[in-house]
Amino acid sequence: MKGLSICHSSTASSSLPGFIIFFITFCVHKLESARFTVIGPDHPVTAIVGEDIVLPCHLFPRMSAENMEVRWFRSEFTSVVHLYQHGKDEYGQQMPEYHERTELLKAGIMVGNVALGIVNVRPSDEGQYHCFVQDGIFNEEAVLELKVEASGSAPQISVEGYQDGGIRIVCQLAGWYPEPEVLWRDRRGQLLSPSTETKSQDGRGLFEIKSSIIITENSNQNLACSIRNAYFSLEEEPSTFYISDFFFPRMSPWPVVWSVTLVISLVFVSLTLFLLKLRGKHLNTISKLQVDLANVTLDPDTAHPYLVLSEDRKSVSRGDTRQQLRDTPERFDTERWVLGCEGFTRGRHRWEVEVGGGRFWAVGVARESVGRKGGISCSPEGGIWAVERWLGQFRALTSPETPLPLSRAPSRIRVCLDCGRGQVTFIDAGDEAPIFTFPPGSVPGERIRPWLWVGGGSWLRLCP
């Protein structure tokens, strides 16, 4: 019995340190798990219907979220917008309305960036989103709000007939979200009440409104129809209209209607001629940039190992695997960039780049001495002058970046380099509309080469 007692005491004594170690390890792990907070924007994020949007969200302090669970959901935890688990995206629980429309932007996941991209935004996407991140037994979340907008047609004023001893004037608009407010005002800016107003929504959830008012000889004959934004209480530029006493004869009403219609037609004709004149001046300005087309090819010695060049060295796309290429001083080893073989030090040159697929790309120029190794600032300070598409957002790579309000994605971009002025201009080759111009003197007087960046799913081609 004495020996058994000694043995039991020894076992208890030896297990105590193990228990303490286990307890300390458990506590440390628990403390380590609870070491971050999830941060989203402190203001609503606004998106345009039909475009793409990024919902920002990141961990603080910055750390890798590669092995964590990232769940974006709406009002309910199970209302999954996007789920990332076990190092990959899981779509089994995703709501049908978000199928093939979301992407967790993993480019920054190693530093805690868990932003969500949503393509082709719809009015139904509006509302609250939860950015939920879990590491082991610890989890945190941030809540952010998405507001959706669509700016449709400008107010269109028309004459629809003779009614109640006056003329019925109608203001119509379509393609707006959220539901806007249609306002009638007289010449002093005082609000007028419409006689009728009808509202409806089309298949995409966008609002169509038809508002009418009756003008008589003794009533307000100066009218303005405008739209007030439901979110920001901002009033759009009004469409104005005036009817003189001449259009209120005591005889048949139909000559009145025809006369008013004639006046409106003349106004639209005058406006059209004015716009055509402005476009002519615009085209004359663009024509000054027309110079001989440079035959540009891509330099394979500079291409990042993930980039795949065509045999004619005119096209580049993003590959799935890293190629076994010799690491030379000229080759980019971190940024997915490639330079053109040609370099320019004097004169004016232009070339065009066709854009295909994907939502991540950039087109521009770089100085010969641009850095090739490690992270490089994608800006004039880093030796880059370019425009890019990131999801549905277009930006000039200034410092800081300049948003570009393009109405559509250009399929072909013309790059115009003026070495004498130190200036580079980007033009939509499809409709000759200017995209962005870096000011004179911003490009240094050294050898300048074409520059391209290709993101996942994109490809770029130098046009002959």
Side-chain angles (χ1 to χ4, degrees):
M1 292 295 293
K2 183 177 181 180
L4 180 61
S5 176
I6 293 173
C7 181
H8 176 75
S9 175
S10 175
T11 302
S13 175
S14 62
S15 64
L16 182 59
F19 174 77
I20 294 174
I21 293 173
F22 169 79
F23 180 77
I24 293 174
T25 302
F26 174 80
C27 292
V28 168
H29 175 73
K30 184 176 179 67
L31 289 173
E32 287 181 348
S33 297
R35 61 185 177 181
F36 65 83
T37 56
V38 179
I39 298 177
D42 56 2
H43 54 81
V45 178
T46 302
I48 306 299
V49 171
E51 295 190 357
D52 305 338
I53 189 65
V54 174
L55 301 182
C57 186
H58 68 272
L59 306 185
F60 181 82
R62 298 282 187 174
M63 66 183 67
S64 174
E66 188 175 24
N67 297 317
M68 300 181 187
E69 175 183 321
V70 180
R71 178 186 297 257
W72 283 87
F73 64 93
R74 296 296 299 266
S75 57
E76 302 293 336
F77 190 76
T78 54
S79 305
V80 175
V81 176
H82 193 95
L83 178 61
Y84 172 86
Q85 264 181 337
H86 312 301
K88 61 180 182 178
D89 298 307
E90 301 284 355
Y91 297 101
Q93 303 178 44
Q94 188 179 45
M95 290 189 289
E97 55 266 38
Y98 290 98
H99 182 57
E100 294 186 350
R101 295 180 53 230
T102 62
E103 179 182 6
L104 189 70
L105 306 184
K106 302 182 186 66
I109 198 169
M110 298 299 293
V111 291
N113 188 357
V114 291
L116 180 71
I118 302 178
V119 303
N120 190 20
V121 170
R122 307 169 181 174
S124 59
D125 294 332
E126 186 172 70
Q128 284 192 344
Y129 287 77
H130 296 251
C131 176
F132 173 90
V133 182
Q134 181 165 337
D135 182 21
I137 62 173
F138 178 77
N139 62 74
E140 281 283 347
E141 71 176 62
V143 181
L144 59 150
E145 183 178 1
L146 174 63
K147 289 188 175 182
V148 176
E149 286 187 319
S151 296
S153 63
Q156 301 293 322
I157 297 181
S158 61
V159 178
E160 289 209 347
Y162 189 82
Q163 181 178 335
D164 300 333
I167 300 172
R168 184 170 182 257
I169 307 297
V170 174
C171 181
Q172 289 181 285
L173 52 99
W176 286 82
Y177 189 88
E179 179 184 326
E181 184 180 4
V182 178
L183 304 176
W184 289 98
R185 295 185 186 275
D186 62 16
R187 64 186 304 172
R188 296 184 298 276
Q190 298 296 315
L191 288 173
L192 302 174
S193 298
S195 58
T196 62
E197 186 168 281
T198 60
K199 302 176 183 179
S200 62
Q201 287 181 273
D202 61 18
R204 295 190 299 161
L206 304 181
F207 284 92
E208 300 175 356
I209 300 179
K210 183 176 181 179
S211 180
S212 68
I213 195 167
I214 306 298
I215 300 179
T216 63
E217 185 176 5
N218 298 320
S219 66
N220 291 285
Q221 294 162 216
N222 285 276
L223 292 177
C225 177
S226 61
I227 305 168
R228 177 179 291 167
N229 186 292
Y231 279 151
F232 305 108
S233 297
L234 296 178
E235 193 169 331
E236 301 287 337
E237 187 70 22
S239 296
T240 58
F241 188 79
Y242 173 73
I243 298 181
S244 71
D245 294 339
F246 171 79
F247 294 106
F248 294 94
R250 279 54 175 179
M251 299 186 302
S252 171
W254 293 111
V256 177
V257 175
W258 285 111
S259 299
V260 174
T261 302
L262 177 62
V263 171
I264 294 177
S265 300
L266 291 174
V267 170
F268 279 124
V269 170
S270 301
L271 180 60
T272 301
L273 293 175
F274 175 71
L275 293 175
L276 288 175
K277 184 177 180 180
L278 285 181
R279 179 170 175 80
K281 291 182 179 180
H282 163 68
L283 292 178
N284 288 336
T285 301
I286 295 299
S287 65
K288 296 178 182 179
L289 296 171
Q290 304 301 310
V291 294
D292 292 335
L293 183 65
N295 183 21
V296 176
T297 56
L298 299 174
D299 184 355
D301 293 334
T302 65
H304 186 277
Y306 266 101
L307 299 185
V308 179
L309 273 58
S310 61
E311 291 187 6
D312 62 0
R313 299 181 183 178
K314 287 287 189 178
S315 298
V316 57
S317 60
R318 176 81 168 268
D320 296 328
T321 59
R322 186 183 181 94
Q323 304 173 82
Q324 298 299 318
L325 301 177
R326 191 162 57 95
D327 186 16
T328 62
E330 292 79 19
R331 188 179 307 283
F332 295 108
D333 68 349
T334 301
E335 308 295 348
R336 273 62 167 176
W337 298 349
V338 61
L339 296 178
C341 291
E342 293 70 27
F344 308 100
T345 58
R346 62 181 63 185
R348 294 190 299 170
H349 311 273
R350 70 179 178 94
W351 59 93
E352 294 183 359
V353 182
E354 183 180 356
V355 179
R359 305 186 302 278
F360 305 93
W361 50 260
V363 173
V365 299
R367 62 189 179 197
E368 177 76 63
S369 60
V370 66
R372 312 297 171 90
K373 309 300 179 184
I376 305 163
S377 173
C378 204
S379 65
E381 287 75 11
I384 304 290
W385 296 263
V387 294
E388 75 166 4
R389 183 184 188 190
W390 181 267
L391 287 176
Q393 301 176 355
F394 296 92
R395 301 178 291 195
L397 298 181
T398 53
S399 183
E401 297 165 343
T402 302
L404 301 176
L406 302 186
S407 59
R408 64 178 181 85
S411 60
R412 190 161 173 154
I413 296 177
R414 181 178 306 145
V415 184
C416 302
L417 174 65
D418 189 335
C419 296
R421 300 189 67 192
Q423 177 177 296
V424 60
T425 297
F426 300 91
I427 298 170
D428 186 336
D431 59 7
E432 300 293 339
I435 297 175
F436 188 78
T437 297
F438 284 86
S442 59
V443 182
E446 63 174 279
R447 193 167 186 252
I448 301 298
R449 299 170 65 175
W451 171 93
L452 301 176
W453 168 69
V454 184
S458 301
W459 59 264
L460 301 174
R461 177 170 179 80
L462 295 165
C463 303

